[in-house]
Amino acid sequence: MKKNYEKQIKELREKMTLEEKIGQLQQCGPSLVGAFEVSFEELLNMMFDGRISQEEFERLMGTAEQDFHEEDLRAGRIGSYNGIGDAGTANRLQKIAVEETRLGIPLLFGYDVIHGFRTVTPIPLAESCAWEPGLWEKTARIAAKEATAAGVHMTFAPMVDVAKDARWGRVSEGAGEDVLLNSVYGVSKVKGFQGDDLSKEDAMAACLKHFAAYGAGEAGRDYNRVDMSMQRLWEEYLPPYKACIDAGVRAIMPAFNDINGIPCTVNSWLLRDILRGKWGFDGLVVSDSNAIAECVNHGIAEDKRDASRQAILAGMDMDMSSNSYIECLKELVENGEVEESVLDEAVDDVLRIKFELGLFDRPYRTNEEREQQTMLKEEYRAIALEAAEKSIVLLKNEENLLPLKSDAKVGIFGALAADKGQMTGAWAIGANPDDCVSIVEALKARGISYQYSTDGSNLLEIASESDILVAVIGERKEESGEAASRADITLHSEDLALVRNLQATSKPVVAVLLNGRPLAIPELDQMASAIIEAWHLGIEAGNAILNVLYGDVNPSGKLTTTFPATVGQCPMYYAHMNTGRPGGKSKFTSKYLDAPVDPLYPFGYGLSYTTYAYEDLKFEKDEDGVHVIVTVRNTGERAGEEIVQCYTQMPYAKRVRPVRELKSFTKIALEPGEAKQVELKITNDNLEYYDWEMNRIPYEGKLKVYVGGNVQDTIVEELALS
Ligand code: NOJ
């Protein structure tokens, strides 16, 4: 049960001066100061556009010191920090807030804990391929234990932006293209981060992001405009945010993008009418970094002052890093452009989360000793390994080349195979490369006889002495994540050349892909005998990959994002509409002249070292919905886990409907030859959709129900609803 702090909040707020109130809305990060005369951002730009080398950048960074703005803190001008992830600094600053400010209001520390803190687990896109809510919650729990021990109170996660365009770099940070999966994933993360009581020392508030539809930026370009129908917004993009709010998430971050012409940062329809009005959210709304000031660039605000006015009126509580509120709100309130009561609502939201976190009773929720004892425990490593193994998707396995025999001589190629720092993927600020196990290290530890070449030199010599050739290729961690959209998502030319040269030796080639997004890899699919999609798996990457390669683990991951056959198909996703002329062989159908309409690997796809058969699909109806019952049989010779997926199609509705919609899923374990009856539930709610006026209406009529191991490989039955 959520406790009610409204009385304390009001009493405290009534003691606050206007300046102190505005101070509570200010979130800032430490600024870097050093032997350079430009801002840190400019310095980064200088490195990225080649004006200074990476070495020069690193040298300058070595001279930098952090400025924590203590004077502002003492004066009550800071309510929250972003980006402080160590107990010593957090407690030092907290002490200033509690002991040296007039009212002693504790600070709130936010941090990007996206996929683990010190124990880095797979990137969210990878972990979503496990289709396992219990696992998602478990990894969030260990992230919360470590991060809170380091002084963090709130994580800027989970990201539940449905992402259908593989070119977008932040595909890596969410659960892929499906609306149901993102909802279930987000809810599990919220539970894991927040635990059952936010005031416990290891509970971390979750800040849901990026509200809304940040994943729908045009052409997959980061921060780009989002223009979509209301039907699409309500059905395909908003449900995951709503699910997390219903699950009790305590903070939310509006997105950088505009929706149909109004930036989310100043969008009162989104932040007041929907979020607070319709959905009843009473938590904290924190802007994205510098987003308030950027409304000037959007062309919707005249200046920072105008942007601040619009943002606070729209319901934006806290200003992350743009200094807009601290610079402009006082005057706006004093001359009546913003009612003080509007400001008070924002202040209340900030104080509420601080009360809920128990910060007034226990401002120092950790200390350096706890921090030291909590990091990277053996049991956390074991969870990181389990998560990594379950995230791996076997994309191809010609003639059962895998699993490998432990006495086969291996030739291994590619810089990523030995690069420990690359195992973590995007957004792993607290990571230490020394914690990571690379593939080459794992081979060594297993006592496998191998030869390694980073760049393919000595290729012929190594190949002649090897039984199997493994190419570790894909993307470096900097190639996905924020501000890392790619227009061409094929393999890098040197990776393709490597695989071509390996294939030319006539030895069997296994490709291990490390990447943060779906790639368009038709050539690789032709050339390699086996392909393992290993994403960026975190600290246990090397061990997990070898466990799958050598069959200690039977792979069970399934794609949560479609792999296009060519980049020109993007955005490519399974739940598309049929059109009046579905893609087919004849000329006047919805297709390309120069590319297939089908993907390379469909949504939900992933192979195993065993095989499964689906039989006997039937239904039972009750007042809550439909129970779909199916028998799944392990028809191979190994035990395995199968992710059973249930899709529907509404073939005749009042608005056009997707060709398939995921409605339910579960994971089951089967011994060789074993069969199990599986029940999947589709609730009545899940059979509703929106009419032209945006009313939710039930679907009535014949429903097609598909069950199988991926969206294309299913058995189907028709069910009459009404
Ligand atoms: C910008 C990103 O969009 C957001 O996801 C992140 O939480 C903030 N920066 C803070 O680092």
Side-chain angles (χ1 to χ4, degrees):
M1 253 300 270
K2 223 171 80 190
K3 289 203 199 95
N4 185 313
Y5 295 100
E6 299 315 303
K7 192 165 160 283
Q8 289 103 306
I9 292 170
K10 186 162 177 285
E11 276 170 15
L12 178 55
R13 195 230 306 137
E14 282 172 352
K15 291 189 202 142
M16 294 166 77
T17 63
L18 181 58
E19 287 82 354
E20 284 165 338
K21 289 180 185 174
I22 296 167
Q24 283 302 304
L25 311 187
Q26 162 80 343
Q27 183 180 76
C28 65
S31 322
L32 287 177
V33 285
F36 40 89
E37 278 160 9
V38 293
S39 68
F40 173 62
E41 204 184 11
E42 176 62 6
L43 203 64
L44 265 179
N45 284 336
M46 287 167 76
M47 179 186 64
F48 283 129
D49 60 26
R51 278 178 283 160
I52 55 170
S53 64
Q54 187 164 349
E55 292 71 50
E56 178 63 0
F57 175 80
E58 276 160 17
R59 190 190 67 74
L60 286 168
M61 280 297 94
T63 69
E65 277 175 25
Q66 291 187 314
D67 173 4
F68 294 97
H69 313 285
E70 279 99 335
E71 276 322 301
D72 286 333
L73 174 58
R74 269 187 199 95
R77 285 199 292 267
I78 296 175
S80 173
Y81 280 94
N82 169 15
I84 291 171
D86 73 274
T89 310
N91 285 349
R92 185 174 66 74
L93 296 170
Q94 191 68 300
K95 194 161 189 287
I96 300 178
V98 172
E99 293 180 10
E100 298 183 46
T101 65
R102 193 179 73 90
L103 292 170
I105 301 175
L107 288 162
L108 172 76
F109 291 101
Y111 201 84
D112 286 288
V113 187
I114 309 300
H115 52 111
F117 185 74
R118 176 78 185 267
T119 303
V120 180
T121 49
I123 55 167
L125 181 63
E127 206 192 19
S128 70
C129 295
W131 300 57
E132 197 179 310
L135 175 74
W136 298 333
E137 187 174 334
K138 203 155 61 171
T139 51
R141 195 82 284 280
I142 63 171
K145 282 179 190 288
E146 289 187 343
T148 54
V152 176
H153 303 146
M154 174 172 76
T155 173
F156 301 114
M159 179 185 109
V160 294
D161 304 325
V162 168
K164 305 186 196 225
D165 196 322
R167 293 170 292 181
W168 191 45
R170 304 194 80 169
V171 163
S172 60
E173 292 177 52
E177 72 186 49
D178 184 69
V179 61
L180 175 75
L181 262 174
N182 270 284
S183 303
V184 178
Y185 168 85
V187 167
S188 312
K189 289 293 173 194
V190 170
K191 284 190 195 156
F193 289 140
Q194 297 193 162
D196 54 8
D197 175 357
L198 214 55
S199 71
K200 287 192 181 157
E201 65 171 20
D202 65 358
M204 172 164 72
C207 177
L208 184 66
K209 66 192 191 186
H210 307 82
F211 188 54
Y214 180 38
E218 201 168 87
R221 186 150 58 77
D222 210 358
Y223 318 123
N224 209 4
R225 77 180 293 193
V226 171
D227 192 297
M228 64 166 68
S229 72
M230 280 295 145
Q231 181 204 25
R232 189 165 210 194
L233 186 64
W234 280 101
E235 280 176 3
E236 300 174 35
Y237 288 89
L238 292 184
Y241 309 104
K242 168 72 162 57
C244 292
I245 284 162
D246 290 346
V249 73
R250 296 310 294 138
I252 190 164
M253 181 187 289
F256 280 127
N257 53 279
D258 73 275
I259 293 186
N260 301 345
I262 310 284
C264 298
T265 306
V266 292
N267 195 323
S268 64
W269 174 76
L270 206 57
L271 306 185
R272 288 206 186 273
D273 302 357
I274 305 303
L275 180 65
R276 292 186 172 87
K278 204 173 162 71
W279 294 350
F281 179 71
D282 68 349
L284 178 68
V285 181
V286 191
S287 83
D288 205 338
S289 188
N290 205 40
I292 298 180
E294 286 167 17
C295 286
V296 178
N297 296 343
H298 273 290
I300 194 110
E302 199 180 349
D303 48 24
K304 248 174 152 177
R305 185 177 179 283
D306 187 25
S308 303
R309 183 185 59 79
Q310 293 190 40
I312 192 91
L313 290 178
M316 178 70 77
D317 296 328
M318 190 175 266
D319 174 2
M320 183 194 284
S321 305
S322 86
N323 292 331
S324 301
Y325 281 3
I326 203 82
E327 287 171 19
C328 312
L329 273 186
K330 184 161 183 269
E331 192 198 312
L332 285 166
V333 173
E334 279 172 350
N335 67 20
E337 285 177 77
V338 171
E339 298 274 343
E340 190 153 352
S341 60
V342 172
L343 186 71
D344 287 351
E345 285 170 12
V347 173
D348 287 1
D349 289 347
V350 176
L351 297 179
R352 188 173 303 115
I353 198 167
K354 291 183 175 181
F355 274 109
E356 288 172 355
L357 282 158
L359 294 174
F360 287 91
D361 298 331
R362 209 156 29 98
Y364 314 100
R365 292 167 109 222
T366 187
N367 53 49
E368 282 158 273
E369 196 190 327
R370 176 176 153 220
E371 180 178 34
Q372 244 176 30
Q373 286 168 358
T374 309
M375 297 301 151
L376 212 64
K377 289 188 179 167
E378 271 313 300
E379 66 207 78
Y380 299 170
R381 254 198 186 278
I383 294 172
L385 176 63
E386 178 196 351
E389 290 167 350
K390 289 178 168 171
S391 301
I392 292 174
V393 184
L394 180 62
L395 296 176
K396 183 176 179 189
N397 193 16
E398 211 168 62
E399 290 167 17
N400 294 328
L401 175 65
L402 302 179
L404 298 177
K405 297 197 177 53
S406 57
D407 58 359
K409 292 199 202 86
V410 174
I412 182 159
F413 301 86
L416 287 172
D419 194 332
K420 293 156 77 78
Q422 282 293 327
M423 300 296 108
T424 56
W427 273 126
I429 322 175
N432 178 349
D434 292 340
D435 300 338
C436 299
V437 181
S438 73
I439 303 177
V440 166
E441 258 177 335
L443 278 171
K444 204 179 294 168
R446 262 184 183 247
I448 305 281
S449 155
Y450 74 91
Q451 291 186 67
Y452 174 49
S453 155
T454 47
D455 54 3
S457 51
N458 306 335
L459 184 146
L460 291 177
E461 195 186 320
I462 295 178
S464 70
E465 291 163 10
S466 305
D467 304 316
I468 218 97
L469 307 177
V470 178
V472 183
I473 53 179
E475 292 182 312
R476 294 178 61 78
K477 63 180 185 185
E478 302 79 16
E479 292 178 276
S480 64
E482 188 178 349
S485 292
R486 292 179 61 197
D488 180 1
I489 53 165
T490 55
L491 285 177
H492 295 306
S493 54
E494 58 278 16
D495 282 352
L496 258 182
L498 170 68
V499 178
R500 231 175 256 133
N501 292 339
L502 294 177
Q503 192 209 14
T505 67
S506 300
K507 293 278 169 79
V509 177
V510 179
V512 174
L513 284 170
L514 306 189
N515 46 304
R517 58 155 60 74
L519 297 171
I521 48 169
E523 302 90 341
L524 182 69
D525 183 63
Q526 291 285 311
M527 292 189 291
S529 302
I531 306 176
I532 284 187
E533 176 51 83
W535 311 110
H536 293 136
L537 290 178
I539 58 170
E540 283 291 333
N543 291 329
I545 291 166
L546 287 210
N547 286 349
V548 166
L549 271 176
Y550 286 94
D552 309 78
V553 166
N554 188 356
S556 59
K558 303 260 191 178
L559 296 178
T560 55
T561 176
T562 304
F563 272 48
T566 170
V567 65
Q569 293 177 324
C570 291
M572 183 67 165
Y573 51 90
Y574 82 92
H576 62 86
M577 304 298 174
N578 226 356
T579 82
R581 296 181 170 190
K585 287 211 174 64
S586 59
K587 165 85 181 148
F588 296 102
T589 60
S590 180
K591 62 172 194 281
Y592 301 103
L593 290 178
D594 53 355
V597 277
D598 286 328
L600 182 62
Y601 306 119
F603 181 83
Y605 171 84
L607 302 171
S608 156
Y609 295 150
T610 187
T611 46
Y612 303 97
Y614 286 75
E615 302 149 10
D616 204 12
L617 176 57
K618 53 189 185 214
F619 312 111
E620 277 170 20
K621 277 194 277 180
D622 62 22
E623 64 279 9
D624 304 329
V626 180
H627 299 261
V628 176
I629 299 156
V630 69
T631 301
V632 187
R633 188 181 304 280
N634 181 343
T635 50
E637 277 151 28
R638 291 184 58 123
E641 289 193 316
E642 169 72 334
I643 294 162
V644 182
Q645 303 156 41
C646 173
Y647 301 86
T648 60
Q649 187 197 10
M650 302 170 180
Y652 175 52
K654 293 199 169 63
R655 292 188 72 148
V656 292
R657 304 294 309 152
V659 293
R660 299 279 186 282
E661 293 176 86
L662 180 71
K663 292 292 176 188
S664 189
F665 63 88
T666 188
K667 196 187 226 176
I668 54 164
L670 289 171
E671 292 298 318
E674 193 189 1
K676 270 188 192 158
Q677 204 178 55
V678 179
E679 199 181 305
L680 299 139
K681 179 86 190 287
I682 309 177
T683 57
N684 288 332
D685 225 34
N686 237 331
L687 291 171
E688 290 177 351
Y689 63 108
Y690 286 85
D691 69 9
W692 185 262
E693 280 81 31
M694 292 300 113
N695 302 309
R696 275 181 84 78
I697 51 171
Y699 177 74
E700 284 162 354
K702 279 185 186 144
L703 182 74
K704 286 190 172 169
V705 181
Y706 302 80
V707 178
N710 71 65
V711 70
Q712 279 182 3
D713 190 7
T714 53
I715 54 174
V716 57
E717 287 291 337
E718 231 172 47
L719 166 70
L721 291 172
S722 64

